[in-house]
Amino acid sequence: MKTKTPVFCLSFFTVMLINILTSSVSSSSGIESLYPEFVKSLHVENYDEGFSIKQSPSGDYFASGEVGSASHRQNCIMRFHPLGHVLWCNEVTVDTKFVDIIPEILPKSSGGCYGVGGIVDPYTGSIGLLLELDPGGSVANAKEVTSPSWSIKCYSIVEDQIGQLVVGGRIYDNTTPGVDNALIIFNESGSQVISSKRIGVPEDFEHLYSAQPSTDGGCYIVCGVGTSDPREILLIKLDSNEDFHWAYRIPDFKVIGDARNPKKLVQATHDGGCIVAGTYYLGTNFNEFAIAKFDSLGNLLWSTAIGGPSNDMINSISVTVDNGVFLGGDTSSFGPNPNTLIAKCSETGSLEWATTVGEYKIDSCEYVYATSDNCCLAIGDFAFWSTEPDFDVLLFKTDENGEIPGCSYSSFCQPTVTDISGILTVTPATIPVSDLSLTLVDVTSNTTTSSIQTSTEEICYDFTPGTDLPSMTPVAMLALLLVLGLIVSKAARTGSM
């Protein structure tokens, strides 16, 4: 009987090595394709929350959040490996001023990321902040966004079709009640304001949550109108000159939760229209996820509500590669405790799948993002209770079918799906839009980042740098495979005796 020779075994393992190196170590996308799903947590103290997360062109993830204790909260920007472990977590400070939350980040094609937020100044109120961090998490550029008449906080940042930075924010007049909104267009580097607009009805309370450039050169904006929960959704469309085009109030769609927390509730679609999301408010303890599709002229095309017998609240949506949409939020309808609920709907609003993640006291999904491989990436928080709450950042990724294989913390569910197109109330509105005078102040030299010590828990799978096969160095892999080859060769010789 013929046996495998040592040369054959060594050749076999050499081929294995080449395949591993070329498919997984040489690029982040290769590693991601090997292990695309995970559930992880990040802990600093007892009040840690995740606000936004996006995939970079190189395949890793940038995120923003807030960590610390009840008495001392810190903003943070994080960078994660494609397998979910933390590469760095940094706090941003500007002089001795307090930098409030960083609601949203935007990865750069050249590495690093942008972030937006607000600075609390005891003398002038709130000041907008536009940050640029390098790939290592250090400050590359920082700009204060100021106005002589308004306090400003920046809440959302995206890139338009020609590379300009589109920033949405809220503006406050310290002498009169009300909250208006600001849309600011920066050049590609963020060093110059191309256009800035004030949007809103004076003395109304209109809290901007999302601003999304449309494919026709305009922009969609979603606001929550009201002084307290639940806030009514207001959808605004600006034309390519950032002038008013159309707007609708959707009283059946609500924003529920702290107005300080960011929520991504509108997404532009490939055909020039948009999908807007809100919590379909049916009573104090009975709400559902809801989405509606509008075309570029403001015509309602369809609307769908998704939920169970209890309280389900949507926080974020993201249009997928195949023109569907991911929905993320919180549910009390499925699972033993309040859980995260993630759903996928088709381009026409039909439900494709829904899954829950989490088995703790409270699990919350604040932000979903459709990755380049059509998977759902999400960030939020979960809490344990002993004598007081203990919140950790929750980070997870499903595959394109909503699965996290082998993970007991994730399970599919069957929510009720209702076509509400014929009963949804949509009321036309006219929203004033005017020029807004802003000044950029370069504060790069006064802005620093400091490392925040974190600990992570591998809730599903255990991919720790240096112990995972894809995270090993090529030299370590070669040594391991050579040893395996020698073992197999010896076994083959022994078997031939």
Side-chain angles (χ1 to χ4, degrees), residues 43-318:
H43 174 79
V44 176
E45 291 188 53
N46 60 344
Y47 275 86
D48 307 328
E49 301 176 85
F51 289 149
S52 71
I53 188 165
K54 293 178 181 178
Q55 183 185 44
S56 76
S58 62
D60 53 0
Y61 314 126
F62 287 88
S64 68
E66 187 175 51
V67 297
S69 64
S71 60
H72 178 65
R73 311 294 290 276
Q74 301 168 270
N75 71 77
C76 68
I77 297 179
M78 299 161 276
R79 186 181 181 187
F80 293 92
H81 186 276
L83 295 176
H85 53 258
V86 180
L87 298 177
W88 48 259
C89 177
N90 289 346
E91 179 186 16
V92 178
T93 56
V94 182
D95 289 329
T96 57
K97 301 172 185 175
F98 174 69
V99 179
D100 203 0
I101 62 172
I102 308 293
E104 193 167 40
I105 41 77
L106 175 67
K108 298 176 56 184
S109 58
S110 58
C113 71
Y114 291 105
V116 292
I119 301 170
V120 178
D121 189 300
Y123 302 103
T124 61
S126 183
I127 299 170
L129 180 64
L130 174 65
L131 292 167
E132 180 187 354
L133 301 188
D134 66 22
S138 298
V139 176
N141 285 291
K143 299 287 192 300
E144 289 183 346
V145 185
T146 67
S147 168
S149 305
W150 301 92
S151 290
I152 302 172
K153 280 188 180 180
C154 300
Y155 266 79
S156 71
I157 180 168
V158 290
E159 192 175 56
D160 67 12
Q161 293 176 304
I162 59 175
Q164 297 178 138
L165 304 180
V166 178
V167 174
R170 303 174 186 173
I171 54 177
Y172 311 80
D173 184 341
N174 296 324
T175 61
T176 59
V179 179
D180 282 352
N181 304 293
L183 182 72
I184 312 166
I185 313 295
F186 293 88
N187 63 351
E188 294 179 22
S189 64
S191 61
Q192 180 182 353
V193 174
I194 305 299
S195 172
S196 55
K197 298 287 184 177
R198 172 191 173 187
I199 306 157
V201 177
E203 298 189 13
D204 276 4
F205 288 81
E206 299 153 339
H207 300 79
L208 182 143
Y209 286 98
S210 310
Q212 286 284 317
S214 58
T215 57
D216 60 4
C219 188
Y220 293 103
I221 294 171
V222 158
C223 307
V225 181
T227 57
S228 61
D229 274 353
R231 294 176 173 83
E232 179 182 301
I233 287 287
L234 171 65
L235 173 64
I236 304 169
K237 172 68 185 300
L238 303 185
D239 63 21
S240 57
N241 296 314
E242 291 87 48
D243 292 325
F244 178 77
H245 191 192
W246 51 262
Y248 289 105
R249 296 182 74 139
I250 312 175
D252 296 330
F253 280 21
K254 306 291 186 183
V255 187
I256 298 176
D258 189 348
R260 181 171 169 268
N261 289 1
K263 297 179 186 292
K264 186 172 64 169
L265 297 175
V266 66
Q267 285 276 276
T269 54
H270 67 95
D271 55 6
C274 73
I275 295 176
V276 61
T279 297
Y280 191 48
Y281 192 70
L282 302 173
T284 304
N285 295 310
F286 183 58
N287 306 295
E288 297 181 340
F289 286 17
I291 53 174
K293 172 70 182 294
F294 290 84
D295 66 18
S296 60
L297 300 177
N299 299 306
L300 176 64
L301 302 182
W302 52 259
S303 187
T304 301
I306 300 168
S310 190
N311 202 19
D312 308 308
M313 298 182 294
I314 193 167
N315 293 324
S316 178
I317 59 173
S318 184

Side-chain angles (χ1 to χ4, degrees), residues 40-43 80 84-86 454-458:
K40 303 212 176 199
S41 69
L42 179 144
H43 174 79
F80 293 92
H85 53 258
V86 180
T454 65
S455 60
T456 58
E457 178 185 356
E458 321 292 341

